[in-house]
Amino acid sequence: MTAFHLDNRLARHLFLDRHALIEPPTGSAGTGEMQALIERLGFVQVDSVQTVARAHHMILWSRRQRYRPATLARLLERDRSIFENWTHDAAVIPTRFFPYWHQKFHRSRKRMEERWPKWQGDAFMGECDEVLDRIARYGPLSAGEAGGGKSGNGGGWWEWHPAKAALEYLWRSGRLAIAKREGFRKFYDLTEKVIPEPHRAAVENGVTLEWACSAAIDRLGFATHGEIAAFWDVFSPAEVRDWCLSEIAAGRLIEGRFMGADGRLWRSYARPDIMEAAARSPEPPSTRIRILSPFDPALRDRRRAERLFGFRYRIEIFVPEPKRTYGYYVFPVMEGARLIGRIDAKALRERNCLSVRAFWPEAGIAMGKARIARLEAELERLARFSGCAAVEFADGWQRDTVAA
């Protein structure tokens, strides 16, 4: 078996190239270009937090800064060329991948039927037929409309009223699809009214396994069987490990190592031409700074990001404020192929400004005048994207590195 050995520089370049973060964030951002970008990434995570801009919009903007949110809505609601469902979390996914989602639906349904009655109670199951009939008669339905304005049982935001739980169950198991959003409110419709007919037919489980593993490794460049499994979150690590071993036996995968940021070597699988592919990866613009979403696909796997970039990132939304190291929703900052720090920023739309509370550089990153100027230029671009006219810096916003 041929082994590979990727040094850290080549490993970063290959990985960032697969995630569309190696080239400058310029160029057209129409529906065709954004469809191609989503297919290149595989999925784009959807999140409701709008400290600056919602995660899905920021993920796309950080790669094509002419992007505007209306383009994503057209792809989802008019063209039906993407659909919304679950990978490791809620995401928009190319519609041509829908035939492979039937296995996901099947496994999600089994898990929900086992676990949700303990969490939600079993009343939601009795709502399913009524919800389906109402949508068939009257069209797309939101959770608020389904529940008549009722909330859950008072225990927390995740404890839904039975009709809301029924909608989510039917969506995650494939009977319903997201027809549109208004703000961040989802409207559910029958799947056959949302997903075009050519994409609705299921494929065999073995075909789905082959597609899911191949599509993941091609987007990651190199990965462990656990990382491949986590990409779409359809198959177990054990199932993916068996697939990897069979691909090695067939000569379609090889096993080797990449060097982490700390110099350690990490085992991974890759295609036999990985060294040639890595050598073809372009050099990133070494001084271009990007501000990334905390849910960026390149950072979704926190442990992988830590090994590859030496960047330890944890979101602190659910950490009590006195115990936070950085802040509620802090954005990773990338320069070229390095993660150089994190920034606490918030769009204050009532004041028409992007407020910057703090920037913490990573260890070893010197914040000279030129780098600060490039960071400020990117913040100005981000302010315009978020609908703000200016950037406002708090006193003492340039902080010292926080020790690990």
Side-chain angles (χ1 to χ4, degrees):
M1 178 179 65
T2 303
F4 66 88
H5 179 103
L6 274 178
D7 66 29
N8 186 252
R9 174 181 161 276
L10 280 178
R12 291 187 194 200
H13 289 186
L14 176 64
F15 180 66
L16 292 175
D17 188 30
R18 301 293 170 93
H19 282 77
L21 286 171
I22 206 81
E23 64 260 31
T26 55
S28 300
T31 53
E33 290 82 7
M34 302 319 292
Q35 179 72 32
L37 176 58
I38 295 168
E39 297 208 6
R40 179 175 172 182
L41 297 174
F43 64 87
V44 171
Q45 183 171 339
V46 174
D47 190 73
S48 62
V49 178
Q50 194 171 212
T51 304
V52 172
R54 290 191 170 116
H56 40 293
H57 298 314
M58 200 158 174
I59 289 166
L60 296 172
W61 173 82
S62 65
R63 290 156 171 83
R64 298 288 185 277
Q65 290 192 347
R66 292 183 186 176
Y67 164 77
R68 294 297 178 265
T71 304
L72 192 68
R74 286 196 292 272
L75 293 174
L76 180 73
E77 299 171 16
R78 183 195 70 184
D79 300 349
R80 302 299 192 199
S81 58
I82 58 174
F83 72 103
E84 188 176 331
N85 209 267
W86 280 70
T87 53
H88 67 292
D89 209 323
V92 291
I93 306 153
T95 302
R96 68 184 186 89
F97 297 172
F98 190 85
Y100 304 109
W101 243 250
H102 290 275
Q103 182 65 20
K104 178 84 166 178
F105 296 147
H106 172 71
R107 294 189 177 195
S108 295
R109 183 171 62 252
K110 288 182 65 176
R111 282 197 301 269
M112 289 185 292
E113 288 172 357
E114 290 170 2
R115 300 174 186 176
W116 279 27
K118 300 174 187 175
W119 167 43
Q120 292 286 347
D122 54 10
F124 77 92
M125 293 298 291
E127 298 274 347
C128 289
D129 287 343
E130 182 178 340
V131 163
L132 287 168
D133 181 67
R134 182 172 173 183
I135 291 173
R137 287 172 178 266
Y138 302 112
L141 183 68
S142 72
E145 293 168 336
K150 294 181 289 185
S151 60
N153 60 24
W157 63 265
W158 58 89
E159 293 177 338
W160 302 321
H161 58 71
K164 161 68 172 175
L167 285 168
E168 287 286 313
Y169 167 80
L170 292 166
W171 172 49
R172 297 187 197 191
S173 58
R175 298 285 299 278
L176 296 178
I178 305 303
K180 63 178 181 176
R181 282 184 180 268
E182 291 181 1
F184 208 69
R185 186 168 53 139
K186 298 195 294 281
F187 284 79
Y188 306 78
D189 203 349
L190 300 177
T191 296
E192 56 266 30
K193 292 187 177 180
V194 176
I195 304 299
E197 191 277 332
H199 300 297
R200 292 202 298 266
V203 297
E204 296 178 0
N205 186 39
V207 174
T208 298
L209 176 64
E210 166 64 28
W211 173 83
C213 294
S214 294
I217 192 69
D218 290 342
R219 286 167 174 81
L220 292 168
F222 51 91
T224 66
H225 66 271
E227 290 168 345
I228 296 170
F231 190 87
W232 304 111
D233 193 28
V234 178
F235 296 97
S236 70
E239 290 171 300
V240 174
R241 182 188 59 227
D242 291 343
W243 177 84
C244 289
L245 294 176
S246 69
E247 290 296 286
I248 286 174
R252 290 186 290 267
L253 278 187
I254 58 174
E255 188 175 0
R257 286 166 172 76
F258 77 90
M259 182 179 289
D262 61 359
R264 284 193 288 174
L265 296 176
W266 299 90
R267 294 175 60 185
S268 284
Y269 299 108
R271 297 295 189 193
D273 67 346
I274 183 171
M275 296 306 297
E276 293 85 350
R280 290 194 302 269
S281 297
E283 288 279 345
S286 60
T287 60
R288 179 62 194 244
I289 286 179
R290 303 178 203 242
I291 299 171
L292 303 179
S293 164
F295 299 109
D296 195 280
L299 303 174
R300 180 194 63 81
D301 188 329
R302 308 294 194 209
R303 288 179 294 179
R304 181 181 173 97
E306 193 166 346
R307 290 193 292 267
L308 187 57
F309 297 101
F311 184 77
R312 188 180 191 276
Y313 181 85
R314 302 292 184 272
I315 198 162
E316 297 182 291
I317 288 176
F318 300 112
V319 177
E321 186 170 1
K323 296 183 178 181
R324 290 175 188 151
T325 303
Y326 299 104
Y328 173 79
Y329 196 84
V330 174
F331 299 89
V333 179
M334 176 172 279
E335 181 185 65
R338 297 188 299 173
L339 287 155
I340 64 166
R342 58 204 86 201
I343 196 160
D344 187 354
K346 184 175 183 179
L348 302 179
R349 293 178 177 84
E350 69 280 4
R351 287 168 44 190
N352 201 22
C353 75
L354 180 70
S355 174
V356 178
R357 186 178 74 89
F359 170 77
W360 297 267
E362 288 292 279
I365 298 297
M367 295 306 295
K369 290 183 179 179
R371 182 171 275 145
I372 291 170
R374 293 194 299 271
L375 175 59
E376 291 176 346
E378 185 71 355
L379 286 165
E380 289 172 3
R381 288 187 283 265
L382 181 60
R384 291 193 293 272
F385 178 67
S386 67
C388 297
V391 181
E392 184 179 277
F393 295 93
D395 291 339
W397 71 278
Q398 294 181 47
R399 303 290 181 87
D400 294 329
T401 300
V402 175

Coordinates of all heavy atoms in Angstrom, one line a residue, residues 265-337:
L265 N 2.2 13.9 13.6 CA 1.7 13.2 12.4 C 0.4 12.6 12.8 O 0.2 11.9 13.8 CB 2.7 12.2 11.9 CG 4.0 12.8 11.4 CD1 4.9 11.6 10.9 CD2 3.8 13.7 10.2
W266 N -0.6 12.7 11.9 CA -2.0 12.2 12.1 C -2.3 11.3 10.9 O -2.2 11.6 9.8 CB -3.0 13.3 12.2 CG -2.7 14.2 13.4 CD1 -1.9 15.4 13.3 CD2 -3.2 14.1 14.7 NE1 -1.9 16.0 14.6 CE2 -2.6 15.2 15.4 CE3 -4.0 13.2 15.3 CZ2 -2.9 15.4 16.8 CZ3 -4.3 13.4 16.7 CH2 -3.7 14.5 17.4
R267 N -2.8 10.1 11.3 CA -3.2 9.1 10.3 C -4.5 9.6 9.6 O -5.4 10.1 10.2 CB -3.4 7.7 10.9 CG -2.2 7.1 11.4 CD -2.5 5.8 12.2 NE -3.1 4.8 11.3 CZ -3.5 3.6 11.7 NH1 -3.4 3.3 12.9 NH2 -4.0 2.8 10.8
S268 N -4.6 9.3 8.3 CA -5.7 9.7 7.5 C -5.8 8.8 6.2 O -4.8 8.2 5.8 CB -5.7 11.2 7.0 OG -6.0 12.0 8.1
Y269 N -7.0 8.8 5.6 CA -7.2 8.2 4.3 C -7.2 9.3 3.3 O -7.6 10.4 3.6 CB -8.5 7.4 4.3 CG -8.6 6.2 5.3 CD1 -9.4 6.3 6.4 CD2 -7.8 5.1 5.1 CE1 -9.5 5.3 7.3 CE2 -7.9 4.0 6.0 CZ -8.7 4.1 7.1 OH -8.8 3.1 8.0
A270 N -6.9 8.9 2.0 CA -7.0 9.9 0.9 C -7.0 9.1 -0.4 O -6.8 7.9 -0.4 CB -5.8 10.8 1.0
R271 N -7.3 9.9 -1.4 CA -7.2 9.3 -2.8 C -5.7 9.1 -3.2 O -4.8 9.7 -2.6 CB -7.8 10.2 -3.8 CG -9.3 10.5 -3.6 CD -10.1 9.3 -3.8 NE -11.6 9.6 -3.8 CZ -12.5 8.6 -3.8 NH1 -12.2 7.3 -3.7 NH2 -13.8 9.0 -3.8
P272 N -5.5 8.1 -4.0 CA -4.1 7.8 -4.4 C -3.3 9.0 -5.0 O -2.1 9.1 -4.9 CB -4.2 6.7 -5.4 CG -5.5 6.0 -5.1 CD -6.4 7.1 -4.6
D273 N -4.0 10.0 -5.6 CA -3.3 11.1 -6.2 C -3.2 12.3 -5.2 O -3.0 13.5 -5.7 CB -4.0 11.5 -7.5 CG -5.4 12.1 -7.2 OD1 -5.9 11.9 -6.1 OD2 -6.0 12.7 -8.1
I274 N -3.3 12.1 -3.9 CA -3.4 13.2 -3.0 C -2.1 14.1 -3.1 O -2.3 15.4 -3.0 CB -3.6 12.7 -1.5 CG1 -3.7 14.0 -0.6 CG2 -2.5 11.8 -1.1 CD1 -4.1 13.7 0.8
M275 N -1.0 13.6 -3.3 CA 0.2 14.4 -3.3 C 0.2 15.3 -4.5 O 0.6 16.5 -4.4 CB 1.5 13.6 -3.3 CG 1.7 12.8 -2.0 SD 1.6 13.8 -0.5 CE 3.0 14.8 -0.7
E276 N -0.2 14.8 -5.7 CA -0.3 15.6 -6.9 C -1.4 16.7 -6.7 O -1.2 17.8 -7.1 CB -0.7 14.7 -8.1 CG 0.5 13.8 -8.5 CD 0.4 12.5 -7.7 OE1 -0.3 12.4 -6.7 OE2 1.2 11.6 -8.1
A277 N -2.5 16.3 -6.1 CA -3.6 17.3 -5.8 C -3.1 18.4 -4.9 O -3.4 19.6 -5.1 CB -4.8 16.6 -5.2
A278 N -2.4 18.0 -3.8 CA -1.9 19.0 -2.9 C -0.9 19.9 -3.6 O -1.0 21.2 -3.4 CB -1.3 18.3 -1.7
A279 N -0.1 19.4 -4.4 CA 0.9 20.2 -5.1 C 0.2 21.2 -6.1 O 0.7 22.3 -6.4 CB 1.9 19.4 -5.9
R280 N -1.0 20.8 -6.6 CA -1.7 21.7 -7.5 C -2.5 22.8 -6.8 O -3.0 23.8 -7.4 CB -2.7 20.9 -8.4 CG -2.0 20.0 -9.4 CD -3.1 19.5 -10.4 NE -4.2 18.8 -9.8 CZ -4.2 17.4 -9.6 NH1 -3.1 16.7 -10.0 NH2 -5.2 16.8 -9.0
S281 N -2.7 22.6 -5.5 CA -3.5 23.6 -4.7 C -2.8 25.0 -4.8 O -1.6 25.1 -4.5 CB -3.6 23.2 -3.3 OG -4.3 22.0 -3.2
P282 N -3.5 26.0 -5.1 CA -2.8 27.3 -5.3 C -2.4 27.9 -3.9 O -2.9 27.5 -2.9 CB -3.9 28.2 -5.9 CG -5.2 27.5 -5.5 CD -4.9 26.1 -5.5
E283 N -1.4 28.8 -4.0 CA -1.1 29.6 -2.8 C -2.2 30.6 -2.5 O -2.7 31.3 -3.4 CB 0.2 30.3 -3.1 CG 1.5 29.4 -3.2 CD 2.0 29.1 -1.8 OE1 1.6 29.7 -0.8 OE2 2.8 28.1 -1.8
P284 N -2.5 30.7 -1.2 CA -3.6 31.7 -0.9 C -3.0 33.1 -0.9 O -1.8 33.2 -0.8 CB -4.0 31.3 0.5 CG -2.7 30.6 1.1 CD -2.1 29.9 -0.1
P285 N -3.8 34.1 -1.1 CA -3.3 35.5 -1.0 C -2.8 35.6 0.5 O -3.6 35.6 1.4 CB -4.6 36.3 -1.3 CG -5.5 35.4 -2.0 CD -5.2 34.0 -1.4
S286 N -1.6 35.8 0.7 CA -1.0 35.7 2.0 C -1.4 36.7 3.0 O -1.4 36.6 4.2 CB 0.5 35.6 1.9 OG 1.0 36.8 1.3
T287 N -1.9 37.9 2.4 CA -2.2 39.0 3.3 C -3.7 39.2 3.4 O -4.2 40.1 4.1 CB -1.5 40.3 2.9 OG1 -1.9 40.6 1.5 CG2 0.0 40.1 2.9
R288 N -4.5 38.5 2.6 CA -6.0 38.7 2.6 C -6.6 38.2 4.0 O -6.4 37.0 4.3 CB -6.7 38.0 1.5 CG -8.2 38.2 1.4 CD -8.6 39.7 1.3 NE -9.9 40.0 1.5 CZ -10.8 40.4 0.6 NH1 -10.4 40.6 -0.6 NH2 -12.0 40.7 1.0
I289 N -7.3 39.0 4.6 CA -8.0 38.7 5.9 C -9.5 38.4 5.6 O -10.1 39.1 4.9 CB -7.8 39.8 6.9 CG1 -6.3 39.7 7.4 CG2 -8.7 39.6 8.1 CD1 -6.0 40.8 8.5
R290 N -9.9 37.3 6.2 CA -11.4 37.0 6.2 C -11.9 36.8 7.6 O -11.2 36.3 8.4 CB -11.6 35.7 5.4 CG -11.1 35.6 4.0 CD -11.4 34.2 3.5 NE -10.5 33.9 2.4 CZ -10.9 33.6 1.1 NH1 -12.2 33.7 0.8 NH2 -10.0 33.3 0.2
I291 N -13.1 37.2 7.8 CA -13.8 37.0 9.1 C -14.8 35.9 8.8 O -15.7 36.0 8.0 CB -14.5 38.3 9.6 CG1 -13.4 39.3 9.9 CG2 -15.2 38.0 10.9 CD1 -13.9 40.7 10.2
L292 N -14.7 34.8 9.5 CA -15.5 33.6 9.2 C -16.6 33.4 10.2 O -16.5 33.8 11.4 CB -14.6 32.3 9.3 CG -13.4 32.3 8.3 CD1 -12.6 31.0 8.5 CD2 -13.8 32.5 6.9
S293 N -17.6 32.7 9.8 CA -18.7 32.3 10.7 C -18.2 31.2 11.7 O -17.4 30.4 11.3 CB -19.9 31.7 9.9 OG -20.8 31.0 10.8
P294 N -18.6 31.2 12.9 CA -18.3 30.1 13.8 C -18.7 28.8 13.3 O -18.1 27.7 13.7 CB -19.0 30.5 15.1 CG -19.2 32.0 15.1 CD -19.4 32.3 13.6
F295 N -19.7 28.8 12.4 CA -20.2 27.5 11.8 C -19.7 27.3 10.4 O -20.2 26.5 9.7 CB -21.7 27.5 11.8 CG -22.3 27.6 13.2 CD1 -22.9 28.8 13.6 CD2 -22.2 26.6 14.1 CE1 -23.4 28.9 14.9 CE2 -22.7 26.7 15.4 CZ -23.3 27.9 15.8
D296 N -18.6 27.9 10.1 CA -18.0 27.7 8.7 C -17.6 26.2 8.5 O -17.1 25.6 9.5 CB -16.7 28.5 8.6 CG -16.3 28.6 7.1 OD1 -15.6 27.7 6.6 OD2 -16.6 29.6 6.5
P297 N -17.9 25.7 7.3 CA -17.6 24.2 7.1 C -16.1 23.9 7.4 O -15.9 22.7 7.8 CB -17.9 24.0 5.6 CG -18.9 25.1 5.3 CD -18.6 26.3 6.2
A298 N -15.2 24.8 7.2 CA -13.8 24.5 7.4 C -13.5 24.4 8.9 O -12.5 23.8 9.3 CB -12.9 25.6 6.8
L299 N -14.4 24.9 9.8 CA -14.2 24.8 11.2 C -15.2 24.0 11.9 O -15.2 23.9 13.2 CB -14.2 26.2 11.8 CG -13.2 27.2 11.2 CD1 -13.5 28.6 11.7 CD2 -11.8 26.8 11.5
R300 N -16.1 23.4 11.2 CA -17.2 22.6 11.8 C -16.6 21.5 12.7 O -17.1 21.3 13.8 CB -18.1 21.9 10.7 CG -19.2 21.1 11.3 CD -19.8 20.2 10.2 NE -18.9 19.3 9.7 CZ -18.5 18.1 10.3 NH1 -19.1 17.8 11.4 NH2 -17.7 17.3 9.7
D301 N -15.6 20.8 12.3 CA -15.0 19.8 13.1 C -13.9 20.5 13.9 O -12.8 20.8 13.4 CB -14.3 18.7 12.2 CG -13.8 17.5 13.0 OD1 -13.4 17.7 14.1 OD2 -13.8 16.4 12.4
R302 N -14.2 20.8 15.1 CA -13.3 21.6 15.9 C -12.0 20.9 16.2 O -10.9 21.6 16.2 CB -13.9 22.0 17.3 CG -15.3 22.6 17.2 CD -15.3 24.0 16.6 NE -16.6 24.6 16.9 CZ -17.1 25.5 16.1 NH1 -16.5 25.9 14.9 NH2 -18.3 26.1 16.3
R303 N -12.0 19.6 16.4 CA -10.7 18.9 16.7 C -9.8 18.9 15.4 O -8.6 19.0 15.5 CB -11.0 17.5 17.2 CG -11.6 17.5 18.6 CD -11.9 16.1 19.0 NE -13.0 15.5 18.2 CZ -13.5 14.3 18.4 NH1 -12.9 13.5 19.3 NH2 -14.5 13.8 17.7
R304 N -10.4 18.7 14.3 CA -9.6 18.7 13.0 C -9.0 20.1 12.8 O -7.8 20.2 12.5 CB -10.5 18.4 11.9 CG -9.8 18.3 10.5 CD -10.8 18.0 9.4 NE -10.3 18.1 8.1 CZ -9.8 17.1 7.4 NH1 -9.7 15.9 7.9 NH2 -9.3 17.3 6.1
A305 N -9.8 21.2 13.1 CA -9.2 22.5 12.9 C -8.1 22.8 13.9 O -7.1 23.4 13.6 CB -10.3 23.5 13.2
E306 N -8.2 22.2 15.1 CA -7.1 22.4 16.1 C -5.9 21.6 15.7 O -4.8 22.1 15.8 CB -7.6 21.8 17.4 CG -6.7 22.2 18.6 CD -7.4 22.0 20.0 OE1 -8.6 21.8 20.0 OE2 -6.6 22.1 21.0
R307 N -6.0 20.4 15.1 CA -4.9 19.7 14.7 C -4.2 20.4 13.5 O -3.0 20.5 13.4 CB -5.3 18.2 14.3 CG -5.6 17.4 15.5 CD -5.7 15.9 15.0 NE -6.8 15.6 14.1 CZ -8.0 15.2 14.5 NH1 -8.3 15.1 15.8 NH2 -9.0 15.0 13.7
L308 N -5.0 20.8 12.5 CA -4.5 21.3 11.3 C -4.0 22.7 11.4 O -2.9 23.1 10.8 CB -5.6 21.2 10.2 CG -5.2 21.6 8.7 CD1 -4.1 20.7 8.3 CD2 -6.4 21.4 7.8
F309 N -4.7 23.6 12.1 CA -4.3 25.0 12.2 C -3.8 25.4 13.6 O -3.4 26.6 13.7 CB -5.6 25.9 11.9 CG -6.1 25.7 10.5 CD1 -7.2 24.9 10.3 CD2 -5.5 26.3 9.4 CE1 -7.7 24.7 9.0 CE2 -6.0 26.1 8.1 CZ -7.1 25.3 7.9
G310 N -3.8 24.5 14.5 CA -3.4 24.9 15.9 C -4.4 25.9 16.5 O -4.0 26.7 17.4
F311 N -5.6 25.9 16.1 CA -6.6 26.9 16.5 C -7.7 26.2 17.3 O -8.5 25.4 16.8 CB -7.2 27.6 15.3 CG -8.2 28.7 15.5 CD1 -7.7 30.0 15.9 CD2 -9.5 28.5 15.4 CE1 -8.5 31.0 16.1 CE2 -10.4 29.6 15.6 CZ -9.9 30.8 16.0
R312 N -7.7 26.5 18.6 CA -8.7 25.9 19.5 C -9.9 26.9 19.6 O -9.8 28.0 20.2 CB -8.2 25.6 20.8 CG -9.1 24.8 21.7 CD -8.5 24.5 23.1 NE -9.3 23.5 23.8 CZ -10.4 23.8 24.5 NH1 -10.8 25.1 24.6 NH2 -11.1 22.9 25.1
Y313 N -11.1 26.4 19.0 CA -12.2 27.3 19.0 C -13.4 26.6 19.7 O -13.7 25.5 19.3 CB -12.6 27.7 17.6 CG -13.8 28.7 17.6 CD1 -13.6 30.0 17.7 CD2 -15.1 28.2 17.5 CE1 -14.7 30.9 17.7 CE2 -16.2 29.0 17.5 CZ -16.0 30.4 17.6 OH -17.1 31.2 17.6
R314 N -14.1 27.3 20.6 CA -15.3 26.8 21.2 C -16.3 28.0 21.3 O -15.9 29.1 21.8 CB -15.0 26.3 22.6 CG -14.0 25.1 22.7 CD -14.5 23.9 22.1 NE -13.6 22.8 22.2 CZ -12.6 22.5 21.4 NH1 -12.3 23.3 20.4 NH2 -11.8 21.5 21.6
I315 N -17.5 27.8 20.8 CA -18.5 28.8 20.9 C -19.0 28.9 22.3 O -19.2 27.9 23.0 CB -19.6 28.6 19.9 CG1 -20.4 29.9 19.6 CG2 -20.5 27.5 20.3 CD1 -21.2 29.9 18.3
E316 N -19.2 30.1 22.8 CA -19.5 30.4 24.2 C -20.9 30.9 24.4 O -21.2 31.5 25.5 CB -18.5 31.3 24.8 CG -17.1 30.7 24.8 CD -16.0 31.7 25.4 OE1 -15.8 32.7 24.9 OE2 -15.6 31.3 26.5
I317 N -21.8 30.6 23.5 CA -23.2 31.1 23.6 C -23.8 30.5 24.9 O -24.5 31.3 25.6 CB -24.0 30.6 22.4 CG1 -23.7 31.4 21.2 CG2 -25.5 30.7 22.7 CD1 -24.4 31.0 19.9
F318 N -23.6 29.3 25.2 CA -24.2 28.7 26.4 C -23.3 28.7 27.7 O -23.6 28.1 28.7 CB -24.6 27.2 26.1 CG -25.5 27.1 24.9 CD1 -25.1 26.6 23.7 CD2 -26.8 27.6 25.0 CE1 -26.0 26.5 22.6 CE2 -27.7 27.6 23.9 CZ -27.3 27.0 22.7
V319 N -22.2 29.4 27.6 CA -21.4 29.6 28.8 C -21.8 30.9 29.5 O -22.0 31.9 28.9 CB -19.9 29.8 28.3 CG1 -19.0 30.0 29.5 CG2 -19.4 28.5 27.6
P320 N -22.0 30.8 30.8 CA -22.4 32.0 31.6 C -21.4 33.1 31.4 O -20.2 32.8 31.3 CB -22.4 31.5 33.0 CG -22.6 30.0 32.9 CD -22.0 29.6 31.7
E321 N -21.9 34.3 31.2 CA -21.0 35.4 30.8 C -19.8 35.6 31.7 O -18.7 35.8 31.2 CB -21.8 36.7 30.8 CG -21.0 37.9 30.3 CD -21.8 39.2 30.1 OE1 -23.0 39.1 30.4 OE2 -21.3 40.2 29.7
P322 N -19.8 35.4 33.0 CA -18.6 35.6 33.8 C -17.6 34.5 33.5 O -16.4 34.7 33.9 CB -19.1 35.5 35.3 CG -20.6 35.8 35.2 CD -21.0 35.2 33.9
K323 N -18.0 33.4 32.9 CA -17.0 32.3 32.7 C -16.5 32.3 31.3 O -15.7 31.4 30.9 CB -17.7 31.0 33.0 CG -18.1 30.8 34.5 CD -18.6 29.4 34.8 CE -18.9 29.2 36.3 NZ -19.5 27.9 36.6
R324 N -16.9 33.2 30.4 CA -16.5 33.2 29.0 C -15.0 33.7 28.9 O -14.6 34.7 29.6 CB -17.4 34.1 28.2 CG -18.8 33.6 28.0 CD -19.7 34.6 27.2 NE -21.0 34.1 27.2 CZ -22.1 34.9 27.2 NH1 -22.0 36.2 27.1 NH2 -23.3 34.3 27.2
T325 N -14.3 33.0 28.1 CA -12.9 33.5 27.8 C -12.9 34.7 26.9 O -12.1 35.6 27.0 CB -12.1 32.3 27.2 OG1 -12.2 31.2 28.1 CG2 -10.7 32.7 27.0
Y326 N -13.8 34.6 25.8 CA -13.8 35.7 24.8 C -15.2 36.4 24.8 O -15.2 37.6 25.2 CB -13.5 35.1 23.5 CG -12.1 34.4 23.4 CD1 -12.0 33.0 23.4 CD2 -11.0 35.2 23.3 CE1 -10.7 32.5 23.4 CE2 -9.7 34.6 23.3 CZ -9.6 33.2 23.3 OH -8.4 32.7 23.2
G327 N -16.2 35.7 24.4 CA -17.5 36.4 24.3 C -18.6 35.5 23.8 O -18.4 34.3 23.4
Y328 N -19.8 36.0 23.7 CA -21.0 35.3 23.4 C -20.9 34.6 22.0 O -21.2 33.4 21.8 CB -22.2 36.3 23.4 CG -23.5 35.7 22.9 CD1 -24.3 34.9 23.7 CD2 -24.0 36.0 21.6 CE1 -25.5 34.4 23.3 CE2 -25.2 35.5 21.2 CZ -25.9 34.7 22.0 OH -27.1 34.3 21.5
Y329 N -20.4 35.3 21.0 CA -20.4 34.8 19.6 C -19.2 35.5 18.9 O -19.3 36.6 18.3 CB -21.7 35.2 19.0 CG -22.0 34.5 17.7 CD1 -22.7 33.3 17.7 CD2 -21.8 35.1 16.4 CE1 -23.0 32.6 16.6 CE2 -22.1 34.4 15.3 CZ -22.8 33.2 15.3 OH -23.1 32.5 14.2
V330 N -18.1 34.8 19.0 CA -16.8 35.4 18.6 C -16.4 34.8 17.2 O -16.5 33.6 17.1 CB -15.7 35.2 19.6 CG1 -14.4 35.6 19.1 CG2 -16.1 36.0 20.9
F331 N -16.0 35.6 16.3 CA -15.7 35.2 14.9 C -14.3 34.8 14.7 O -13.4 35.7 15.0 CB -16.1 36.3 13.9 CG -17.6 36.6 14.0 CD1 -18.0 37.6 14.9 CD2 -18.5 36.0 13.2 CE1 -19.4 37.9 14.9 CE2 -19.9 36.3 13.2 CZ -20.3 37.3 14.1
P332 N -13.9 33.7 14.1 CA -12.6 33.3 13.8 C -12.1 34.3 12.7 O -12.8 34.6 11.8 CB -12.6 31.9 13.3 CG -13.9 31.4 13.9 CD -14.8 32.5 13.9
V333 N -10.8 34.6 12.7 CA -10.2 35.5 11.7 C -9.1 34.7 11.0 O -8.2 34.2 11.6 CB -9.7 36.8 12.3 CG1 -9.0 37.7 11.3 CG2 -10.8 37.5 13.1
M334 N -9.2 34.7 9.7 CA -8.2 34.0 8.8 C -7.4 35.0 8.0 O -8.0 35.9 7.5 CB -8.9 33.0 7.9 CG -8.0 32.2 7.0 SD -8.9 30.9 6.1 CE -8.8 29.6 7.3
E335 N -6.1 34.7 7.9 CA -5.2 35.5 7.0 C -4.5 34.5 6.2 O -3.7 33.6 6.7 CB -4.2 36.3 7.8 CG -3.3 37.1 7.0 CD -2.3 37.9 7.8 OE1 -1.4 37.2 8.4 OE2 -2.3 39.1 7.8
G336 N -4.7 34.5 4.9 CA -4.0 33.5 4.0 C -4.5 32.1 4.4 O -5.7 31.8 4.4
A337 N -3.6 31.3 4.8 CA -3.9 29.9 5.2 C -3.7 29.7 6.7 O -3.6 28.6 7.2 CB -3.0 28.9 4.5

